[in-house]
DNA sequence: TACATTTACATGTATATACAATTAATACAA
DNA sequence: TTGTATTAATTGTATATACATGTAAATGTA
């Protein structure tokens, strides 16, 4: 749906102004639709993001600050998200042997199991939510990558 | 910057999966950069969104639920945001004469003054943050509008 | 009219964001 | 080696999101 109809705004100053508003609105469109994906498994989208990062490590431990660097939202608080995941027994924390300031994080079997359960639903969701052809979605990805400079 | 480098993820399942992650990351890129715009004037990006909606009314009052419908994030709580703005004397609330359940909201002169002060900085920010040509930004807006179905 | 339903808004609670401050460990320089 | 600076993580606080619940007013129907 055209952004102008969606937020009932007749016009924008220029296409750059519209693009900023369009990106903010599109994120909200995705997040509000995806909430039902993760909720049945008792995790938030942000906690899912952390679990995906840990799974990508393939058994290698990763520090809290490295998780933070890889998160979609850099301002989120990896330390507190890890604590929530630990309480659910989806991750474990170990003191780093070479630097006692750091904390090594690892995903547990239970955490991996949740990701496996979610995998197909997430991919199906992605295709459903992005109403574009293969060619158009490649073009969108190109523009987004370029947009950020 | 390519998303793969930005979040240090080698590959995605398919371009639809990348597009979802790309949109979430791009929103975070915008929000984290724009925070310095509003902070000096003592308002949050969400409060700015509400003030812009009220300004668009050109003096006509608007109810809390209508503000909610026009917000970029539909799940945000217009009632509480209006309360924050009222405390700063940027809006006023009036009981709706025809329906006492409703509350009419109006922007104050002080609220309009803040928007005027921000106007040029916001438009300059929009151009700076979207690193695309005129043609490309139109294409991006077209794809985002289409993407949401 | 009386009572149930719906609507508009406010409020409560858990989670997350944004940013500052704190604590502990390491690195570095006088 | 001693003091300073830096780094990694945690903690504190204000704001916002997500969703459920509460309250009062309006609507609809028997």
């Amino acid at each position: 749906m055209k952004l102008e109809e969606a937020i009932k705004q007749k016009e924008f100053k220029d296409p750059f102004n519209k693009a900023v508003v369009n990106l903010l609105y599109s994120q909200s469109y995705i997040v509000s639709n995806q909430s039902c994906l993760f909720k049945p498994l008792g995790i938030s989208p942000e906690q899912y993001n952390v679990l995906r990062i840990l799974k990508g490590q393939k058994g290698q431990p990763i520090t809290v600050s490295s998780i933070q660097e890889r998160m979609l939202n850099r301002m989120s608080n990896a330390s507190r998200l890890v604590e929530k995941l630990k309480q659910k027994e989806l991750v474990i924390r170990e003191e780093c042997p070479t630097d006692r300031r750091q904390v090594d994080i690892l995903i547990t079997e239970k955490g991996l199991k949740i990701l496996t359960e979610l995998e197909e639903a997430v991919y199906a969701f992605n295709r459903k939510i992005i109403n574009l052809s293969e060619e158009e979605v490649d073009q969108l990805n190109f523009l987004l990558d370029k947009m950020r400079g």
Side-chain angles (χ1 to χ4, degrees), chain A residues 10-147:
Chain A
K10 290 197 192 80
E11 56 181 4
F12 293 91
K13 166 82 175 177
D14 58 43
F16 296 91
N17 182 17
K18 174 168 171 173
V20 167
V21 177
N22 221 345
L23 287 164
L24 300 180
Y25 182 71
S26 295
Q27 182 263 4
S28 174
Y29 159 81
I30 290 174
V31 171
S32 61
N33 278 287
Q34 82 179 163
S35 64
C36 57
L37 258 182
F38 305 118
K39 207 178 175 187
L41 288 153
I43 59 170
S44 68
E46 296 76 16
Q47 289 169 14
Y48 174 76
N49 188 200
V50 173
L51 289 179
R52 284 300 305 270
I53 290 164
L54 293 173
K55 188 191 177 190
Q57 289 297 106
K58 302 186 194 304
Q60 285 285 336
I62 183 173
T63 63
V64 173
S65 55
S66 292
I67 293 172
Q68 191 98 49
E69 278 174 20
R70 289 159 200 234
M71 288 194 69
L72 297 179
N73 189 329
R74 293 285 159 74
M75 289 299 107
S76 64
N77 195 319
S79 179
R80 275 190 270 238
L81 289 170
V82 163
E83 176 59 25
K84 294 278 164 100
L85 292 169
K86 191 194 163 199
Q87 283 170 17
K88 293 172 196 161
E89 298 177 332
L90 305 180
V91 306
I92 55 169
R93 299 202 313 208
E94 290 175 351
E95 192 182 76
C96 178
T98 58
D99 186 338
R100 285 171 50 211
R101 288 171 304 182
Q102 298 185 346
V103 182
D104 282 341
I105 315 296
L106 287 158
I107 191 167
T108 63
E109 281 302 318
K110 193 175 168 188
L112 287 168
K113 189 159 168 284
I114 280 191
L115 290 184
T116 304
E117 282 173 40
L118 275 168
E119 196 166 14
E120 280 192 41
V122 168
Y123 294 141
F125 170 83
N126 292 340
R127 291 200 156 256
K128 206 188 79 190
I129 209 75
I130 304 285
N131 202 259
L132 296 176
S133 69
E134 290 266 355
E135 195 181 338
E136 286 168 335
V137 73
D138 284 338
Q139 179 71 3
L140 176 61
N141 278 317
F142 170 79
L143 290 170
L144 291 175
D145 284 355
K146 182 170 184 197
M147 179 269 292

